[in-house]
Amino acid sequence: MKPSNKRKTDNKGDMPLTGHLTELRNRIVVCIIVLVLGIMLCLSVSGRIINLLTDIGRPHGYHFVYLAPQELLLAYFRIAFIGGLVVAVPVIAYEIYAFCSPALEAGGKRAFLLAMVFGAVCFLIGVFFAYGIVLPFMLGFLMKFSTGMDITNNISIGEYISFLMTIFIIFGLIFEMPIISVTLSGIGILKPEWLLKGRRYAIVAIFVVAAVITPPDVVSQVMVAVPMIGLYELSIWLS
């Protein structure tokens, strides 16, 4: 079911509140339907996705188990929900754009659309950066940390998936920094001069954040901090 692009308006050309609410409801229904279909699609390949995620840890000697009868099933559903959300994001973004576009001018529509597109691209870049670079180092370090201890490394698959999803979300949001900066600059909340003046403090804050979200080794912290500093500089240039 697709909402009609033709909006009912009154004599002044404005849509009444009930019309806005009806259109909003229809668009939400479309988003929910696409999300459910995406979840069903991803549920059929959840096993492959989990194997892909556990392949990051296996080269470092991780062995995965589930500690409760329902834990593996819940991991499947968690992966399916996140995957379905990713599948539905283009449709959700379009529905948001279509609902808001009549209230925007031509330049505002273009900026709104570009912000959504580049926001999604930056988020995916952050996820792939975490998957390909950060997580192998983090998992390797955490495994080496337990070397020499008489403790078996049987990792709960539920906890492992939660850990990876948290890292993916953190780095996806970190890579949104340029888009957020440009958006705030465009609406006048953030000025590029403030970013320039606060550069030295931002670099210190970046290293603090990198130390919090990574294991306590210098290599991981630098691997996280350097891209963040690059994104900060990019934010200044774009703003």
Side-chain angles (χ1 to χ4, degrees), residues 34-145:
V34 175
L35 176 61
V36 171
L37 293 176
I39 291 174
M40 294 173 62
L41 174 65
C42 292
L43 188 59
S44 64
V45 295
S46 290
R48 297 180 183 178
I49 297 174
I50 289 179
N51 285 333
L52 191 65
L53 296 177
T54 53
D55 283 344
I56 309 175
R58 286 197 179 99
H60 301 287
Y62 283 82
H63 303 282
F64 300 100
V65 298
Y66 55 93
L67 305 179
Q70 76 281 5
E71 184 175 357
L72 184 59
L73 179 63
L74 292 178
Y76 270 67
F77 278 108
R78 185 178 303 167
I79 291 295
F81 176 78
I82 295 174
L85 189 60
V86 171
V87 171
V89 160
V91 175
I92 294 173
Y94 169 77
E95 296 297 339
I96 294 174
Y97 171 76
F99 183 75
C100 298
S101 60
L104 301 173
E105 298 179 355
K109 292 181 182 180
R110 188 161 50 249
F112 188 79
L113 183 60
L114 288 175
M116 288 196 302
V117 172
F118 283 105
V121 171
C122 289
F123 189 90
L124 290 177
I125 292 174
V127 170
F128 283 115
F129 178 80
Y131 176 83
I133 299 177
V134 176
L135 279 172
F137 273 90
M138 293 179 66
L139 294 174
F141 172 83
L142 293 172
M143 178 57 69
K144 292 178 182 177
F145 182 75

Side-chain angles (χ1 to χ4, degrees), residues 114-116 118-120 122-123 169-191 195 231-232 234-236 238-239:
L114 288 175
M116 288 196 302
F118 283 105
C122 289
F123 189 90
I169 292 173
I170 288 174
F171 277 87
L173 294 177
I174 287 173
F175 275 70
E176 294 288 326
M177 188 188 303
I179 302 300
I180 295 173
S181 299
V182 171
T183 302
L184 294 178
S185 297
I187 60 181
I189 295 178
L190 183 66
K191 296 184 181 297
L195 294 174
L231 291 169
Y232 186 83
L234 179 62
S235 300
I236 295 175
L238 291 175
S239 298

